[in-house]
Amino acid sequence: NLTAGELRLERAKSDVQLVKSYSQLKEALQEVRKSSGMENEDVEELVSDVCEEMELANSDALTEAIYNSDAIDEDELYEELRMLELKCEKISPSPRKSEVNTDEQVDFPSSEEVVNAPTESPADEKPQKSTAEPKSAPLPRS
């Protein structure tokens, strides 16, 4: 019982301190409100204006997104893709798997042709410039 009484006393002291803190907080907030010159109506109006502007900005963004999506003509885009594909096929025709004739034999050079093919000697080759940075000598220790 004595312990429970002590706990209640400590809690009562904490509650008194808490009430004093709330009172000081209220006074500080009132002072800030008075010194800023803003009333509740002013703050509510400001918040309302900000919300309204945000809604307008969102509706403008939505309108722009809808407008831009209508501006894309998918048929025209597909036709442009087909033209580019045809252009690429004309530049570098590559057979498709279905077009490859597997009955044809590939004519590779004979080993004799490969051995007798002219080659450049290492002396004929031009020296290549190295892109690696030169290594610096280690610094002398003192």
Side-chain angles (χ1 to χ4, degrees), residues 5 10 65 71 77-78 84 92 97 103 107 110 112 125 130 134 138-139:
E10 288 295 321
L77 191 61
Y78 181 74
L84 287 171
S92 60
K97 279 190 171 182
D103 295 336
D107 196 21
S110 68
E112 187 175 308
E125 292 181 9
S130 173
L139 298 174

Side-chain angles (χ1 to χ4, degrees), residues 19-65:
V19 169
K20 286 181 182 178
S21 295
Y22 279 137
S23 177
Q24 290 174 347
L25 177 62
K26 181 190 83 154
E27 291 171 7
L29 288 173
Q30 285 176 340
E31 186 62 35
V32 168
R33 186 174 45 85
K34 288 177 184 174
S35 67
S36 69
M38 295 191 93
E39 295 296 322
N40 286 345
E41 295 83 27
D42 297 335
V43 173
E44 289 172 1
E45 185 180 336
L46 178 63
V47 169
S48 175
D49 291 345
V50 168
C51 289
E52 186 178 319
E53 286 299 319
M54 290 176 70
E55 287 175 9
L56 286 172
N58 287 338
S59 69
D60 288 346
L62 181 61
T63 303
E64 185 176 328

Side-chain angles (χ1 to χ4, degrees), residues 62-76:
L62 181 61
T63 303
E64 185 176 328
I66 291 170
Y67 176 75
N68 286 339
S69 68
D70 289 343
I72 297 172
D73 183 7
E74 290 186 22
D75 293 335
E76 184 179 321

